[in-house]
CSV table of all heavy atoms in Angstrom, one decimal:
chain,number,residue,atom,x,y,z
A,690,PRO,N,-4.1,-3.7,15.1
A,690,PRO,CA,-5.3,-4.0,14.3
A,690,PRO,C,-5.3,-3.2,13.0
A,690,PRO,O,-4.9,-2.0,13.0
A,690,PRO,CB,-6.4,-3.5,15.2
A,690,PRO,CG,-5.8,-3.5,16.6
A,690,PRO,CD,-4.4,-3.2,16.4
A,691,PHE,N,-5.7,-3.8,11.9
A,691,PHE,CA,-5.8,-3.2,10.7
A,691,PHE,C,-7.3,-3.0,10.2
A,691,PHE,O,-7.7,-1.9,9.9
A,691,PHE,CB,-5.1,-3.9,9.6
A,691,PHE,CG,-5.1,-3.4,8.3
A,691,PHE,CD1,-4.5,-2.1,8.0
A,691,PHE,CD2,-5.8,-4.0,7.2
A,691,PHE,CE1,-4.5,-1.6,6.7
A,691,PHE,CE2,-5.9,-3.4,5.9
A,691,PHE,CZ,-5.2,-2.2,5.7
A,692,CYS,N,-8.0,-4.1,10.3
A,692,CYS,CA,-9.4,-4.1,9.8
A,692,CYS,C,-10.1,-5.2,10.4
A,692,CYS,O,-9.5,-6.2,11.0
A,692,CYS,CB,-9.6,-4.1,8.3
A,692,CYS,SG,-8.9,-5.6,7.5
A,693,ASP,N,-11.4,-5.3,10.4
A,693,ASP,CA,-12.2,-6.4,10.8
A,693,ASP,C,-12.8,-7.1,9.6
A,693,ASP,O,-13.2,-6.5,8.6
A,693,ASP,CB,-13.4,-6.0,11.7
A,693,ASP,CG,-12.9,-5.5,13.1
A,693,ASP,OD1,-11.7,-5.7,13.4
A,693,ASP,OD2,-13.7,-4.8,13.8
A,694,ASP,N,-12.9,-8.5,9.7
A,694,ASP,CA,-13.6,-9.2,8.6
A,694,ASP,C,-15.1,-9.0,8.8
A,694,ASP,O,-15.5,-8.4,9.7
A,694,ASP,CB,-13.1,-10.6,8.5
A,694,ASP,CG,-13.6,-11.5,9.7
A,694,ASP,OD1,-14.5,-11.1,10.4
A,694,ASP,OD2,-13.0,-12.6,9.8
A,695,PRO,N,-15.9,-9.6,7.9
A,695,PRO,CA,-17.4,-9.4,8.0
A,695,PRO,C,-18.0,-10.0,9.3
A,695,PRO,O,-19.0,-9.5,9.7
A,695,PRO,CB,-17.9,-10.2,6.8
A,695,PRO,CG,-16.8,-10.1,5.7
A,695,PRO,CD,-15.6,-10.2,6.6
A,696,ASP,N,-17.3,-10.9,10.0
A,696,ASP,CA,-17.7,-11.4,11.2
A,696,ASP,C,-17.2,-10.7,12.4
A,696,ASP,O,-17.5,-11.0,13.6
A,696,ASP,CB,-17.3,-12.9,11.4
A,696,ASP,CG,-17.9,-13.8,10.3
A,696,ASP,OD1,-19.1,-13.6,10.0
A,696,ASP,OD2,-17.3,-14.7,9.8
A,697,GLY,N,-16.5,-9.6,12.1
A,697,GLY,CA,-16.0,-8.7,13.2
A,697,GLY,C,-14.7,-9.2,13.8
A,697,GLY,O,-14.3,-8.7,14.8
A,698,VAL,N,-14.0,-10.1,13.2
A,698,VAL,CA,-12.7,-10.6,13.7
A,698,VAL,C,-11.6,-9.7,13.1
A,698,VAL,O,-11.5,-9.5,12.0
A,698,VAL,CB,-12.5,-12.1,13.2
A,698,VAL,CG1,-11.1,-12.6,13.7
A,698,VAL,CG2,-13.6,-13.0,13.8
A,699,PRO,N,-10.8,-9.2,14.1
A,699,PRO,CA,-9.8,-8.3,13.6
A,699,PRO,C,-8.6,-9.0,12.9
A,699,PRO,O,-8.2,-10.1,13.3
A,699,PRO,CB,-9.3,-7.6,14.9
A,699,PRO,CG,-9.6,-8.5,15.9
A,699,PRO,CD,-10.9,-9.3,15.5
A,700,ALA,N,-8.1,-8.3,11.9
A,700,ALA,CA,-6.9,-8.7,11.2
A,700,ALA,C,-5.8,-7.8,11.6
A,700,ALA,O,-6.0,-6.6,11.7
A,700,ALA,CB,-7.1,-8.8,9.7
A,701,TYR,N,-4.6,-8.3,11.8
A,701,TYR,CA,-3.5,-7.4,12.3
A,701,TYR,C,-2.5,-7.2,11.2
A,701,TYR,O,-2.3,-8.1,10.3
A,701,TYR,CB,-2.8,-8.1,13.5
A,701,TYR,CG,-3.7,-8.0,14.7
A,701,TYR,CD1,-4.8,-8.9,14.8
A,701,TYR,CD2,-3.5,-7.0,15.7
A,701,TYR,CE1,-5.6,-8.8,16.0
A,701,TYR,CE2,-4.3,-6.9,16.8
A,701,TYR,CZ,-5.4,-7.8,16.9
A,701,TYR,OH,-6.1,-7.7,18.1
A,702,THR,N,-1.8,-6.1,11.2
A,702,THR,CA,-0.7,-5.8,10.4
A,702,THR,C,0.5,-5.4,11.3
A,702,THR,O,0.4,-5.4,12.5
A,702,THR,CB,-1.0,-4.7,9.3
A,702,THR,OG1,0.1,-4.6,8.4
A,702,THR,CG2,-1.2,-3.4,9.9
A,703,PHE,N,1.6,-4.9,10.7
A,703,PHE,CA,2.7,-4.6,11.5
A,703,PHE,C,2.9,-3.0,11.5
A,703,PHE,O,2.5,-2.3,10.6
A,703,PHE,CB,4.0,-5.2,10.9
A,703,PHE,CG,4.5,-4.7,9.6
A,703,PHE,CD1,5.3,-3.6,9.5
A,703,PHE,CD2,4.0,-5.2,8.4
A,703,PHE,CE1,5.7,-3.1,8.2
A,703,PHE,CE2,4.4,-4.8,7.2
A,703,PHE,CZ,5.2,-3.7,7.1
A,704,ALA,N,3.5,-2.6,12.6
A,704,ALA,CA,3.8,-1.2,12.8
A,704,ALA,C,5.1,-1.2,13.7
A,704,ALA,O,5.4,-2.2,14.2
A,704,ALA,CB,2.7,-0.4,13.4
Side-chain angles (χ1 to χ4, degrees):
F691 179 69
C692 63
D693 291 344
D694 69 13
D696 295 324
V698 176
Y701 288 79
T702 191
F703 67 94

